[in-house]
Amino acid sequence: MAKQALLQREVKREKLAAQFAKKYTELKAVSKDAKRSDEERDAARLALQKLPRNANPTRQRNRCEITGRPRGTFSQFGLGRMKIREMAFAGEIPGVTKASW
């Protein structure tokens, strides 16, 4: 099980990213728009830098829903590799069976 502080940090990042999502996408679009003047694009980049660091969606980490493990997480299930294995062998994930040939 992951430390509670790490899990809470991820929750905090999700809230910040959701709070600044609209502003982030608008500024990102302005900074990439080649039709805008260089001054406008530079101002948008500076405004992006002034947003909180954790407001950037790329700082979020995929974690296992059960254990909180940050690595080996399958996005299709939202679970870590070890939990997928345990649950698949127990028949708790529909449509997933052990491969044999």
Side-chain angles (χ1 to χ4, degrees):
M1 189 71 187
K3 290 183 180 179
Q4 289 300 313
L6 298 178
L7 297 176
Q8 292 303 316
R9 187 184 303 162
E10 287 299 320
V11 170
K12 183 180 176 183
R13 284 181 179 152
E14 287 175 15
K15 287 180 184 176
L16 264 176
Q19 180 182 351
F20 288 98
K22 184 178 177 185
K23 188 172 187 178
Y24 185 84
T25 53
E26 289 172 357
L27 290 171
K28 198 75 168 168
V30 170
S31 67
K32 287 185 175 185
D33 190 5
K35 295 177 184 176
R36 304 253 183 172
S37 68
D38 289 339
E39 291 80 18
E40 285 180 308
R41 294 172 69 189
D42 289 340
R45 288 187 191 112
L46 285 174
L48 273 172
Q49 289 178 358
K50 291 186 180 186
L51 290 178
R53 179 176 288 177
N54 286 333
N56 192 338
T58 59
R59 290 188 57 94
Q60 294 176 3
R61 181 81 178 186
N62 291 333
R63 289 185 173 270
C64 176
E65 291 292 325
I66 298 172
T67 61
R69 187 179 185 344
R71 295 177 182 232
T73 304
F74 287 67
S75 60
Q76 182 178 1
F77 303 106
L79 299 172
R81 58 184 173 81
M82 293 177 283
K83 284 297 170 184
I84 287 177
R85 182 179 168 88
E86 288 175 12
M87 293 175 76
F89 286 164
E92 296 172 1
I93 303 175
V96 178
T97 57
K98 182 178 178 190
S100 61
W101 57 87

